[in-house]
Amino acid sequence: MDHFLYRDGALFAEDVPVADIAASVGTPFYLYSAATLLRHFQLFDDALAGVDHLVCFAMKSASNQAILKLLGDAGAGMDVVSGGEYARARAAGISGNKIVFSGIGKTRAEMEMALTGGIRQFNVESEPEMLALSAVATDLGVVAPITVRVNPDVDAKTHEKIATGRKGDKFGIPISRAREIYAVAAKLPSLKVIGIDVHIGSQLTDLAPFKTAYEKVADLTEHLRADGHEISRLDLGGGLGIPYAIGDNDRPPLPAQYGEMIIDTLGHLGCEIEIEPGRLISGNAGILVSQIIYIKSGEDREFMILDGAMNDLIRPAMYGAHHDIIPVIEPPAGVDKTPYDIVGPVCESGDTFAKARDMPPMNAGDLVAFRSAGAYGAVMSSEYNTRPLIPEVLVMGDQFAVIRPRPTYDDIINRDTVPEWL
Ligand SMILES: *Cc1c(COP(=O)(O)O)cnc(C)c1O
């Protein structure tokens, strides 16, 4: 459920008409609902209420500081995957002891930054990384708390580009070698092993692969404890999927069902549980609002040409992802629909959001909203074609604020420097 609904024939974000925001901010822009973000966080927090836990928002899905502060104030920790994300989380007021650091390529500089600024744990993904972290922590005279990310060799049955838990994927260490690698970690100076980490992929629409992975983690916990390691924390990653199409009857499991499965599978171990949801918290909490520039008749089809493009929302081009695209003025019930190819202005055919999408009659100047655009939307945008990064706006009740302004052309152009010798 989200807070982007029609009221009296117009699309609202919570209590604000989307068209009013468009008039004030200009199009295209991203629009987030604070109530939806908080509600989704709360669903996870409630789902794990029976156990000691921390919900760490995977901020790579939506990293504006206003969103981080909103969730942080509600009690969320953060899962970061780069030094930039770490700095951003800290700037948003998240304390180091609520930040977990994931990712397969942490540099020494990033490790130093997190060890100096404060960190809850590093999720270590390889032996070389373990050696580097041990060396950096020793130099700083501190102890680095770690989990080791294991790759459980489970097929998450999701899109090829976002599956991460099969043995050929680049993530984690093979679970079959875990005992050996934990033995190495235990001997290294300045590291403190505190638990196990696993993350098998994104946009999972079934609990079964999670359960298989978590059962393997439960077994491993017992083996590692028998080997003398203190395993007190299990980081179970993110990945729960969201419905991208209204009326799709293949609904992903709910956070409550996910939480119940976690407690059933791992609750008996007495560990603190961490989860790292991203998409389920932010995905349906954001829309992309765009204006129709032209309606153009092609040889055998109609094109709807928008002012938003693949540089603003790359998911359709990159993953073949579906986004519902709805008019900001509600069409009359039962109106005849026409198929349109919905495209952006960027100079490549990949800049196509939808093919033959049935839409009600629409004209140049009308506004449309891409639903489910809150996750992996703004964060993956670029300035391709020298198109400015589009603004982000946050709504809470009847208030809204621009949380990232649209840069001017000068802002973009003045970042280039032309060498004197040219
Ligand atoms: C991307 C990622 C997540 C979040 O995945 P979602 O599908 O957005 O929930 C969590 N943990 C790690 C390590 C990730 O790489």
Side-chain angles (χ1 to χ4, degrees), residues 150-168:
V150 294
N151 181 327
D153 192 18
V154 170
D155 187 351
K157 301 240 169 2
T158 183
H159 191 282
E160 177 61 26
K161 289 184 185 164
I162 51 176
T164 60
R166 303 163 301 180
K167 65 173 182 262

Side-chain angles (χ1 to χ4, degrees), residues 58 60 79 102 149 199 201-203 237-240 276-279 376:
K60 74 174 195 276
D79 171 42
S102 300
R149 177 167 174 181
H199 170 74
S202 195
Q203 187 52 19
L240 199 57
E276 304 169 343
R279 189 189 308 267
Y376 308 106

